[in-house]
Amino acid sequence: MKLTEEEKKTALIITRQILKEFNGNRGNLIPVLQQVQNKLGYVPPVAMEEMAAHFDIPAVDVYGVLTFYNQFRLTPPGKNQVKICMGTACHMRGAHTIQEAWERRLNIKVGETTEDREFSLERVACVGCCTMAPVVVINEQVHGKVTPTRVDGLLFSYQLDKQQTKEGGTE
Amino acid sequence: MEVTITIDGKQIKARKGTMLLWAALDNGIYIPHLCAAREETESPPASCRLCFVEVEGYPAPVTACTLPVAEGMVVNTSSERVNRLVAAGFELIMSNHRLDCKNCPANGNCELQRIAKARKLRLKPKNLPVLHRDLPVDDSAENIVYDPSKCVLCGRCIRACRNHGQSVVGFARRGFERVVTTCGDVPLGESGCDSCGECVKACPVGAMSLKKK
């Protein structure tokens, strides 16, 4: 997924602003990553390089920390955030099949965002409604007993919604 | 200051504070090891779990790379418990190492082959299923071919790259997904790697190799 020049510029400005508050001690790397992620919603490569220079460590070390923790994102979140529950009950009821269905339909992997930025895919631990397993949460809406066919249905309904709001806007 | 220790009934002298592993190797006693490095005295990674030895006075086998020698230490490099631990550790490593010795550039000069021979272990895991990650081979760098499916995650290339190279490779991700890679997973050729070849010298297996001319 490509970032626009403007996004890179804002990312750089924000990262520099945040780095000003921290000294060069490499123990500050995680707080900096968290703050950048809070501000931007993700941590882009330009920010990683800026941090590496600030802490005087190789950029690949920043990348290593970033990919080690689940809380960090490498790509901007999509307009619709799809969260697949991977709790015990959902796992037993085939959450992996559901994950594969989403990955195939959206043509992205977990943790990524589609090229048009409409959808991003995430795995979460239990969302608290195990009787409905396997569960998928889209934005704040919970969908239970999901099947691969239902994934197609959900995607279709989002496309319809989008089309309707678009038509509504032009009228 | 020198101390005298006994390894496998052989008395050896070593400088106080040296790790047991290096003291043994310097005196011609082989202990399997992958992740250890001489220069890393502060906190050895101790992640390969192959250098276990039995030390008198210790309730369980210890990793030789993390134990500084002390006067009068009595060490046994192989006991039933040690062999079991090493066999398990070795099998875990081999369970996701792509075996292709015949075509491997490290054939004959491979640390895994050496360990298997020294400890009479099989290269092919017997009790564990083999799980390959099917990661693509990276031959984008000028002189270096990197095959991540052969990597045993010892970290030697990373150390070499830091000390002598451009610091382009490092560990990323976690668990089964852990890989040696570059920042942003870009191919080596685009990472600022200048093909100095230090990682190839450091690699104990055939994961990093020189391009065939």
Side-chain angles (χ1 to χ4, degrees), chain A residues 35-52:
Chain A
Q35 288 195 19
V36 170
Q37 159 118 353
N38 272 348
K39 275 263 168 70
L40 295 170
Y42 68 110
V43 186
V46 275
M48 283 191 246
E49 264 150 40
E50 200 64 23
M51 288 174 210

Side-chain angles (χ1 to χ4, degrees), chain B residues 73-149:
Chain B
M73 212 175 231
V74 180
V75 183
N76 196 351
T77 58
S78 79
S79 70
E80 203 182 308
R81 286 198 295 180
V82 165
N83 290 344
R84 223 172 40 223
L85 280 169
V86 174
F90 190 70
E91 194 158 357
L92 277 167
I93 289 170
M94 296 315 289
S95 73
N96 70 347
H97 172 79
R98 196 161 63 80
L99 265 184
D100 186 19
C101 294
K102 237 198 301 183
N103 303 315
C104 181
N107 193 10
N109 186 28
C110 172
E111 202 61 31
L112 296 172
Q113 290 175 336
R114 190 174 178 201
I115 294 167
K117 204 173 162 203
R119 291 295 160 111
K120 302 201 169 50
L121 296 166
R122 299 155 54 105
L123 283 169
K124 219 175 190 168
K126 194 170 62 182
N127 305 311
L128 296 173
V130 176
L131 295 171
H132 289 314
R133 288 182 297 173
D134 278 325
L135 296 165
V137 174
D138 179 359
D139 58 358
S140 60
E142 208 186 311
N143 272 321
I144 295 164
V145 184
Y146 169 44
D147 183 352
S149 15

Side-chain angles (χ1 to χ4, degrees), chain A residues 149-168:
Chain A
T149 341
R150 184 85 188 100
V151 170
D152 292 349
L154 284 169
L155 267 173
F156 187 61
S157 77
Y158 271 89
Q159 266 155 13
L160 269 186
D161 272 0
K162 199 187 157 198
Q163 215 167 22
Q164 262 165 14
T165 44
K166 214 177 176 182
E167 277 165 16

